[in-house]
C-alpha cells in the first residue's frame, strides 16, 4: 500500500521525461549531421582552419537557435491545444454534468469494465476530481504534466550544441592530413550511438536505427564534400 503513491508519481513523470529525452536525442543528432555536413563540405574546398572554424561556429549557432525556436513553437502549440481542451471540458462539466458522467461511464465501459462497474467508477472519479478524470480518460491529458515549451527548447538547444561541437572540434584540431578521416570516423561513431539511444528510448531494435543514422550521416558528408571539392576546384 505504501508503494502506490511512488509508482503513480513515477508513471506521471515518465511522459514528460521521455519528451525531454526525445528532444535531446533529435537535437544532438541534428547537430552532428548538419555541422558535419557543413564543415566537411567546406573542407572539400579549403584547408584554412580559420575558414573551417568560422563556418562551423556559424552553423552551430544558427542550428541551435533554429532547433530551440522550432521546438518552442511546436510545443507551445501543443500546450495551447491542451489548455483549450481542458477549458472546454471544464465548461462542459459545469453546464452538463449528467451528460459528462454518462460519457465517462461509456469510455470506461469501452475499456473493458462492465456497465455497473463503469458507472460506479465514473461516479467515484467524478466525485474525487471530475476534470482530472475526463482529462485522462477522454482526452489523454494529464493536467499536472502539460507540455513545457521552455524545457523542450532548452533541451534542443543544448543537445544540438553538444552534437555540433564534435564535428567542429574534429575538423579544426587535428593536422590537415588527418582532419577529414578523424571527422568522418568520429561522426559515424557518434551517429551510431544516437541511433542506439533513440532505439532504446522507443524500445525498438537498435540495429536498423543505427544503420539509418550512420547511412544518412555518411551520405550527407559525401554529398557536401563532393560539392565543396567541385567548388574548390573551380575556384569559387
Amino acid at each position: 500500500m505504501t508503494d502506490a503513491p511512488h509508482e503513480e508519481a513515477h508513471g506521471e513523470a515518465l511522459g514528460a521525461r521521455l519528451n525531454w529525452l526525445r528532444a535531446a536525442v533529435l537535437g544532438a543528432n541534428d547537430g552532428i549531421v548538419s555541422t558535419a555536413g557543413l564543415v566537411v563540405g567546406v573542407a572539400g574546398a579549403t584547408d584554412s582552419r580559420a575558414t573551417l572554424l568560422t563556418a562551423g561556429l556559424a552553423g552551430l549557432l544558427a542550428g541551435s537557435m533554429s532547433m530551440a525556436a522550432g521546438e518552442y513553437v511546436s510545443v507551445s502549440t501543443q500546450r495551447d491545444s491542451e489548455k483549450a481542451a481542458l477549458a472546454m471540458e471544464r465548461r462542459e462539466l459545469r453546464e452538463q454534468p449528467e451528460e459528462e458522467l454518462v460519457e465517462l461511464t461509456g469510455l470506461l465501459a469501452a475499456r473493458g469494465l462492465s456497465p455497473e462497474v463503469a458507472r460506479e467508477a465514473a461516479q467515484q472519479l467524478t466525485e474525487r476530481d471530475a476534470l482530472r478524470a475526463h482529462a485522462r480518460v477522454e482526452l489523454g491529458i494529464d493536467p499536472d504534466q502539460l507540455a513545457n515549451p521552455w524545457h523542450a527548447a532548452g533541451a534542443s538547444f543544448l543537445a544540438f550544441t553538444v552534437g555540433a561541437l564534435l564535428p567542429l572540434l574534429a575538423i579544426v584540431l587535428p593536422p590537415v592530413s588527418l582532419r577529414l578521416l578523424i571527422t568522418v570516423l568520429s561522426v559515424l561513431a557518434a551517429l551510431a550511438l544516437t541511433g542506439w539511444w533513440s532505439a532504446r528510448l522507443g524500445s525498438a531494435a537498435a540495429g536498423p536505427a543505427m544503420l539509418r543514422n550512420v547511412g544518412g550521416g555518411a551520405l550527407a558528408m559525401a554529398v557536401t564534400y563532393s560539392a565543396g571539392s567541385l567548388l574548390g576546384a573551380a575556384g569559387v
Side-chain angles (χ1 to χ4, degrees), residues 24-25 28-29 32 189-200 209-210 213:
V25 171
N29 198 74
I32 294 168
L191 290 176
L193 178 61
T194 57
W196 173 84
W197 191 10
S198 64
R200 182 178 177 85
M210 295 169 67
N213 258 19

Side-chain angles (χ1 to χ4, degrees), residues 2-64:
T2 57
D3 291 339
H6 171 75
E7 292 297 330
E8 182 180 359
H10 177 76
E12 289 174 355
L14 180 61
R17 186 166 65 252
L18 286 178
N19 283 337
W20 186 91
L21 288 172
R22 174 193 59 83
V25 171
L26 292 177
N29 198 74
D30 285 351
I32 294 168
V33 174
S34 61
T35 307
L38 175 62
V39 297
V40 167
V42 175
T46 178
D47 290 333
S48 170
R49 180 176 276 106
T51 301
L52 290 169
L53 180 59
T54 301
L57 280 176
L60 183 155
L61 293 173
S64 60

Side-chain angles (χ1 to χ4, degrees), residues 122-138:
Q123 289 176 334
Q124 292 187 19
L125 289 171
T126 299
E127 291 172 0
R128 181 175 302 174
D129 192 327
L131 179 60
R132 187 182 302 278
H134 280 266
R136 290 180 172 177
V137 177
E138 180 181 349

Side-chain angles (χ1 to χ4, degrees), residues 165-222:
L165 281 173
L166 173 68
L168 176 58
L169 295 176
I171 203 74
V172 299
L173 293 182
V176 175
S177 60
L178 296 176
R179 64 172 46 148
L180 189 61
L181 176 63
I182 291 175
T183 300
V184 170
L185 292 179
S186 61
V187 165
L188 295 182
L191 290 176
L193 178 61
T194 57
W196 173 84
W197 191 10
S198 64
R200 182 178 177 85
L201 288 177
S203 300
M210 295 169 67
L211 286 175
R212 286 194 298 267
N213 258 19
V214 171
L219 178 61
M221 289 187 288

